[in-house]
Amino acid sequence: MEKETYWSHFAADFEKRNSYVIGKPDLGLAKAKVARQQDLGRVLELGCGNGTYSELIAPRTDCVLATDFSDEMVCVAKKKLKNFCNVRVEKRNCLETGYEDNSFDTVLMVNLLHIIPDPRSALEEAGRVLKPGGRIMVLSFTTAGMTLRNKLTMIFRYLRAYGKPPENNRHIDPKSMRDLLLRAGFAVEESTLIGQRCKAVWATGVYMDCQTCIQKITTRKAGSPGE
Ligand SMILES: C[S@@+](CC[C@H](N)C(=O)[O-])C[C@H]1O[C@@H](n2cnc3c(N)ncnc32)[C@H](O)[C@@H]1O
């Protein structure tokens, strides 16, 4: 399998670097947002990094499969999550996870879609493994909605912590996130900015496979004879 070469270098102290770039208050708000989600059922996290977000949701889910493409991140996440009997950590590529169709209730992606070359394919893969009506939760830090001063400060801190950004780094805002989700077959529940000085796009959606869409349309038509 191909090797991840950018984030792997930062696996040992990823959380410390991230906290320096984003700042504790806004990182705390992002974590709290994820931690508040309920009724998640069987969860797949794609691009889990060192396991921060799987750790947050583990106490309130049936089970979590935390996955990442980097051997080093998988190793750190395994150590971090070893005390949760409902969490498993595996090396997987988010574009081709190899999991069965319709096998998860929720897919979580944190800080993944803006750093990969093909976010739409990753979302389609999420749709494939989600049960019809399953939920996607996406969080991605962004410069959207930040003041110029806060933007420049964050970019400076990013360069100090990580150096040059990965090649495929892209700007995502609530509108482009909404469009990405819609094109991959999700009905978008929300796509919004959270955070104070540093911002993140938070979006959730429900996967609608063709069958579910047809059923919904049929039910709607049956209920409104005027249409
Ligand atoms: C910015 S880090 C975010 C880590 C974690 N989600 C967080 O926010 O703390 C991006 C992560 O995505 C992983 N990644 C990059 N490309 C991937 C791919 N194709 N499949 C799965 N994981 C990938 C990297 O190894 C890295 O751990």
Side-chain angles (χ1 to χ4, degrees), residues 4 7-8 14 18 45-50 52-53 67-70 73 92-95 110-112 115-116:
E4 199 287 328
W7 298 102
S8 298
F14 180 69
N18 224 15
E45 181 175 9
L46 299 172
C48 69
N50 65 344
T52 299
Y53 294 87
T67 64
D68 199 282
F69 199 27
S70 151
M73 286 291 192
R92 296 288 163 139
N93 185 342
C94 66
L95 303 175
V110 181
N111 295 318
L112 179 67
I115 59 114
I116 53 174

Side-chain angles (χ1 to χ4, degrees), residues 132-207:
R135 193 156 176 250
I136 191 151
M137 306 193 307
V138 183
L139 182 89
S140 268
F141 283 102
T142 178
T143 52
M146 288 172 66
T147 63
L148 180 62
R149 184 192 163 92
N150 287 339
K151 249 186 229 179
L152 292 174
T153 314
M154 191 187 75
I155 291 168
F156 172 74
R157 287 197 303 249
Y158 183 96
L159 293 173
R160 274 194 79 191
Y162 296 111
K164 199 173 154 218
E167 259 175 35
N168 300 303
N169 213 36
R170 79 190 59 234
H171 176 77
I172 288 190
D173 61 20
K175 185 181 177 311
S176 52
M177 184 71 91
R178 180 178 288 276
D179 291 347
L180 269 173
L181 285 167
L182 283 171
R183 271 187 240 121
F186 290 91
V188 181
E189 294 173 316
E190 61 174 325
S191 182
T192 185
L193 284 179
I194 61 168
Q196 304 281 318
R197 286 161 67 132
C198 284
K199 304 282 182 189
V201 179
W202 165 256
T204 63
V206 174
Y207 187 60

Side-chain angles (χ1 to χ4, degrees), residues 7-20:
W7 298 102
S8 298
H9 298 297
F10 311 113
D13 58 357
F14 180 69
E15 197 140 2
K16 202 170 141 203
R17 286 175 199 259
N18 224 15
S19 179
Y20 168 68

